[in-house]
């Protein structure tokens, strides 16, 4: 009887296939966030930890090529280590990679980070007002979204650590006069949370024009953050955002999207 054991070559090929699939998902998140208007002037970036390693996939500095992120592709995504060293890819990683990496170093639960400059959420930082858990999509931001009072680029490890300290164990952080950082336990969940942050900020702004802002009750926050409701918070909306991808093609992609969205731990 012949026993077939996986060879080193086979294992390496499997790993490369998995990394290519991950790279494809990171590229897609950029297209979706662009189409959804989450980064005016198309600036921003998404990262993803390669499972079982200290390597991270992140956007190459394609802004310098004058490109729009609406057509981010797999070869625009490069590999760095957790210290920010460029390991692989055709173009240098974005300068602000330390924002992603220092948060990931401190938070094993975080496997993906979105950095963006959405209008409403950024405006709250400018005004020094915290975004609160309000509306249907705000519970994950309880008790409030911290603000980092620092307005420079996060292009050094020291500045990355400032973001790490400011975000703590929160889902999101607002960088004053700059933008936001949003965390997730998958690329898709970080993308969803980035949209939820902007939707929540917009709703809080509108509510504040009408009267005093009232937060979601603690009991409701707890309920949304628990079990099936937490899973639903993410998985029930992915189909909506996935369709923003200009390269979206149903139904095959829809099926694979569904398989990729995993509930948070
Ligand atoms: Zn930025």
């Amino acid at each position: 009887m012949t026993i077939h054991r996986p060879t080193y070559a086979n294992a390496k090929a499997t790993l490369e296939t998995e990394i290519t699939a991950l790279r494809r998902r990171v590229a897609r998140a950029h297209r979706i966030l662009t189409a959804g208007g989450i980064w005016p002037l198309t600036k921003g970036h998404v990262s993803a930890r390669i499972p079982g390693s200290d390597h991270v996939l992140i956007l190459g500095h394609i802004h310098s090529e004058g490109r729009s992120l609406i057509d981010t592709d797999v070869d625009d995504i490069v590999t760095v280590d957790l210290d920010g060293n460029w390991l692989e890819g055709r173009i240098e990683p974005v300068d602000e990679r330390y924002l992603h990496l220092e948060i990931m170093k401190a938070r094993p639960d975080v496997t993906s980070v979105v950095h963006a400059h959405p209008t409403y959420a950024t405006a709250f930082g400018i005004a020094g007002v915290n975004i609160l858990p309000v509306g249907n999509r705000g519970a994950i931001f309880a008790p409030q979204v911290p603000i980092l009072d620092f307005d420079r680029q996060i292009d050094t490890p020291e500045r990355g650590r400032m973001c790490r300290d400011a975000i703590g164990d929160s889902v999101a952080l607002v960088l004053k006069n700059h933008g936001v950082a949003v965390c997730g336990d998958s690329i898709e969940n970080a993308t969803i949370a980035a949209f939820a942050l902007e939707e929540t900020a917009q709703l809080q702004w509108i509510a504040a024009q009408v009267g005093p802002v009232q937060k979601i009750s603690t009991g409701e926050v707890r309920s949304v953050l628990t079990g099936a409701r937490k899973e639903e918070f993410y998985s029930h909306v992915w189909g909506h955002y996935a369709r923003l991808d200009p390269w979206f093609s149903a139904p095959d992609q829809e099926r694979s999207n569904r398989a990729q969205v995993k509930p948070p731990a």
Side-chain angles (χ1 to χ4, degrees):
M1 189 175 80
T2 308
I3 298 171
H4 295 283
R5 292 197 174 87
T7 63
Y8 172 73
N10 282 344
K12 191 162 179 273
T14 305
L15 181 65
E16 278 167 9
T17 307
E18 284 170 6
I19 292 172
T20 302
L22 201 61
R23 194 168 272 152
R24 209 164 265 138
R25 286 164 59 197
V26 176
R28 179 180 59 172
H30 285 85
R31 298 193 301 271
I32 290 171
L33 288 160
T34 309
I38 290 296
W39 36 54
L41 299 177
T42 80
K43 296 272 183 87
H45 24 87
V46 182
S47 61
R49 205 193 288 262
I50 297 175
S53 80
D54 61 355
H55 295 174
V56 173
L57 298 177
I58 195 164
L59 186 71
H61 193 22
I62 68 171
H63 310 98
S64 66
E65 298 176 332
R67 297 255 314 277
S68 164
L69 298 185
I70 197 71
D71 45 37
T72 307
D73 206 345
V74 276
D75 66 350
D76 298 321
I77 307 303
V78 304
T79 310
V80 295
D81 63 21
L82 283 173
D83 292 324
N85 298 304
W86 179 19
L87 302 178
E88 197 184 20
R90 67 170 188 86
I91 183 166
E92 202 176 343
V94 289
D95 293 338
E96 290 197 290
R97 54 192 178 274
Y98 303 101
L99 165 73
H100 303 250
L101 301 173
E102 291 299 330
I103 292 173
M104 281 187 192
K105 271 188 199 174
R107 299 261 307 262
D109 60 309
V110 173
T111 64
S112 181
V113 176
V114 172
H115 171 53
H117 315 101
T119 305
Y120 282 87
T122 305
F124 273 82
I126 295 168
V129 176
N130 296 99
I131 298 169
L132 301 172
V134 297
N136 286 320
R137 305 295 292 162
I140 59 169
F141 304 115
Q144 63 180 18
V145 178
I147 298 171
L148 176 64
D149 192 0
F150 180 77
D151 61 5
R152 311 276 298 277
Q153 293 278 292
I154 311 300
D155 52 8
T156 67
E158 292 71 27
R159 292 176 181 183
R161 287 192 280 275
M162 287 170 57
C163 296
R164 171 203 69 189
D165 292 344
I167 197 169
D169 57 4
S170 300
V171 171
L173 170 70
V174 173
L175 311 161
K176 189 172 264 189
N177 274 304
H178 180 173
V180 303
V182 187
C183 301
D185 61 358
S186 73
I187 299 159
E188 290 73 21
N189 287 352
T191 302
I192 289 165
F195 278 108
L197 179 64
E198 181 65 350
E199 290 157 9
T200 300
Q202 189 166 5
L203 201 52
Q204 184 174 335
W205 158 251
I206 295 169
Q209 311 313 301
V210 183
V213 173
Q214 297 183 44
K215 297 188 280 186
I216 305 169
S217 67
T218 308
E220 175 62 3
V221 165
R222 213 173 287 134
S223 168
V224 171
L225 298 183
T226 309
R229 286 198 71 193
K230 186 167 185 185
E231 184 185 337
E232 286 167 14
F233 180 91
Y234 291 96
S235 63
H236 282 195
V237 298
W238 179 245
H240 167 73
Y241 295 119
R243 279 172 172 73
L244 295 178
D245 181 2
W247 299 1
F248 178 84
S249 63
D252 285 348
Q253 189 165 347
E254 185 185 19
R255 273 197 289 273
S256 66
N257 288 341
R258 212 173 286 152
Q260 283 160 8
V261 177
K262 66 179 181 63

